[in-house]
Amino acid sequence: MPQPQDLTLFDPFDGMRFGRHLCFLCGTTIAPEQQTTVFPDWLMEQYGFGQQALLLLDQSQVAYQDLKIPCCANCQTNALAPVEEQVQKAVLKGVAGLRALDEKVLFQWLGKMFYGTLITELIKEQDPLVRPEYAVSEQPKMLMKFQAFYRVLQSLRVPMVFADFVPASVFIVDVDASAEPNRFEFRDELSTMMFSLRLDNALIICCLLDNAMIKDALRRVWAVLETKTLQPIQAAEFSARVFYAGYLLNVVPDYLLRSVKPQDTHVVMDTLIDDVTNVIFNAWDSSAYAKLLALSWAKWGISAAQILQDPTEPLSLLFTPEGEFIAFPKIPEVK
């Protein structure tokens, strides 16, 4: 007879149970050599970034191929491998393949890489090269966010239904790769739980814990851009808008597990917002946005001062002041 499905959720944040001896997904005690790469081997091989260095919060550097997390054989085979197989097939089909992918699968795939980076930071904080100014493990509000995120990331291992919500906002942008043939770019923000990947002409931008509130807030902009092929500088601007929305987001979703009955084959997760009296987004600040956009536009040399030549209307290469999409943007001269 088949074994009944284990529907028990693991919570490593209860008691801060992080270490090289515990599977990151189920908490099973494992041998030190039982590890999996945070960024999948097939992705590093396909895009050739395995030997590139990633800077961690304690100022140490690690090659992508050496960034690994503890993972038992069962979770590797039955939880991670099926997701990797689906995403790998989708990536081969480019933007259309990624957009056709089940949104939950894409959330799980991105979430595993984000979480793998996060727990690397948490483990490193036990013996840092340089003590971070703001240690993640010493910030209760951030830990509560990560705990809530991990609860829905357990859908990798435990059959889970999200009741009337999706945990994340995911945008898949079509970029004109011929204009700037970068095969791979990666960016994340632990505090806002933002994550982006550039894979050839596909740019994936994601907020992993917002119940799609950012996507809803940007729905009119996205309705226009989703059908367009953007120039790299335009894709960078849209990425800045999404990342800035992550900074403005003022509520944190939480997730509650419905009671599990002996005959159940899956769990059901409900959601609520931590404080319904809060405004969802803080007020827009053009100066703060301009600084973030200038970082996104750094390779083009466009400064925050240029972006704010008109303080009431920050420079956009996506839309005219009248709101029309700019098909062929003219990049400003560096001043």
Side-chain angles (χ1 to χ4, degrees):
M1 292 181 62
Q3 293 294 312
Q5 175 70 50
D6 180 11
L7 301 180
T8 305
L9 300 189
F10 171 54
D11 183 4
F13 293 88
D14 182 10
M16 295 299 287
R17 292 174 288 168
F18 300 97
R20 297 294 179 194
H21 63 292
L22 294 176
C23 174
F24 87 97
L25 199 51
C26 70
T28 300
T29 300
I30 56 177
E33 64 271 12
Q34 287 185 276
Q35 300 182 61
T36 188
T37 52
V38 171
F39 291 80
D41 291 331
W42 67 265
L43 193 72
M44 291 188 287
E45 182 178 344
Q46 188 166 330
Y47 291 93
F49 64 93
Q51 295 182 338
Q52 293 180 23
L54 183 65
L55 182 67
L56 301 178
L57 291 177
D58 73 342
Q59 301 305 302
S60 64
Q61 292 190 352
V62 60
Y64 282 94
Q65 64 191 17
D66 296 328
L67 192 64
K68 298 179 180 180
I69 47 175
C71 185
C72 71
N74 183 53
C75 285
Q76 178 70 52
T77 302
N78 297 312
L80 301 186
V83 169
E84 294 294 350
E85 184 179 352
Q86 290 183 67
V87 176
Q88 185 175 11
K89 289 178 180 177
V91 166
L92 291 174
K93 298 176 183 177
V95 171
L98 285 165
R99 287 179 175 173
L101 197 62
D102 186 318
E103 199 165 46
K104 181 193 281 189
V105 172
L106 195 51
F107 161 74
Q108 292 168 339
W109 186 67
L110 298 170
K112 175 252 182 177
M113 289 184 282
F114 176 91
Y115 185 74
T117 308
L118 166 65
I119 65 166
T120 298
E121 301 280 12
L122 290 173
I123 293 172
K124 289 280 288 184
E125 282 181 3
Q126 298 169 13
D127 184 24
L129 177 67
V130 176
R131 185 169 178 80
E133 184 177 357
Y134 302 105
V136 175
S137 59
E138 297 173 5
Q139 300 182 62
K141 286 188 177 179
M142 279 186 65
L143 288 175
M144 287 177 63
K145 284 177 66 173
F146 296 145
Q147 186 176 33
F149 162 69
Y150 186 79
R151 207 167 290 141
V152 283
L153 188 63
Q154 284 277 286
S155 61
L156 267 168
R157 181 181 65 86
V158 177
M160 185 179 296
V161 172
F162 302 142
D164 301 322
F165 73 94
V166 290
S169 288
V170 182
F171 303 90
I172 300 167
V173 182
D174 189 355
V175 185
D176 182 358
S178 66
E180 186 194 51
N182 277 353
R183 300 215 62 217
F184 174 83
E185 290 178 353
F186 164 67
R187 177 183 175 192
D188 73 339
E189 281 276 355
L190 287 182
S191 60
T192 56
M193 304 196 67
M194 300 298 301
F195 192 98
S196 71
L197 276 181
R198 167 84 181 271
L199 305 174
D200 288 325
N201 69 318
L203 173 63
I204 307 168
I205 313 168
C206 180
C207 179
L208 286 158
L209 191 76
D210 75 333
N211 282 6
M213 286 182 278
I214 290 176
K215 195 162 191 176
D216 184 57
L218 294 175
R219 65 187 179 279
R220 291 183 181 177
V221 170
W222 182 236
V224 175
L225 300 184
E226 188 176 14
T227 63
K228 310 293 186 184
T229 298
L230 302 188
Q231 297 303 304
I233 197 168
Q234 293 179 307
E237 178 182 336
F238 181 66
S239 180
R241 291 190 183 206
V242 179
F243 270 71
Y244 186 58
Y247 283 113
L248 295 181
L249 188 64
N250 194 43
V251 294
V252 179
D254 198 4
Y255 303 102
L256 302 173
L257 186 68
R258 291 187 191 176
S259 298
V260 180
K261 302 177 180 63
Q263 69 273 21
D264 285 348
T265 57
H266 64 269
V267 300
V268 178
M269 196 70 75
D270 290 301
T271 188
L272 56 83
I273 302 300
D274 63 342
D275 185 353
V276 294
T277 64
N278 278 347
V279 294
I280 294 177
F281 291 96
N282 290 321
W284 176 281
D285 182 326
S286 291
S287 178
Y289 168 69
K291 289 178 182 177
L292 184 61
L293 180 56
L295 288 174
S296 293
W297 278 354
K299 68 174 69 174
W300 292 277
I302 304 171
S303 67
Q306 284 178 276
I307 294 167
L308 281 181
Q309 282 184 341
D310 179 354
T312 64
E313 189 72 43
L315 175 66
S316 173
L317 297 180
L318 280 169
F319 298 100
T320 67
E322 296 73 35
E324 295 295 321
F325 175 72
I326 302 172
F328 300 102
K330 181 180 179 182
I331 299 176
E333 293 182 6
V334 177
K335 295 181 179 180

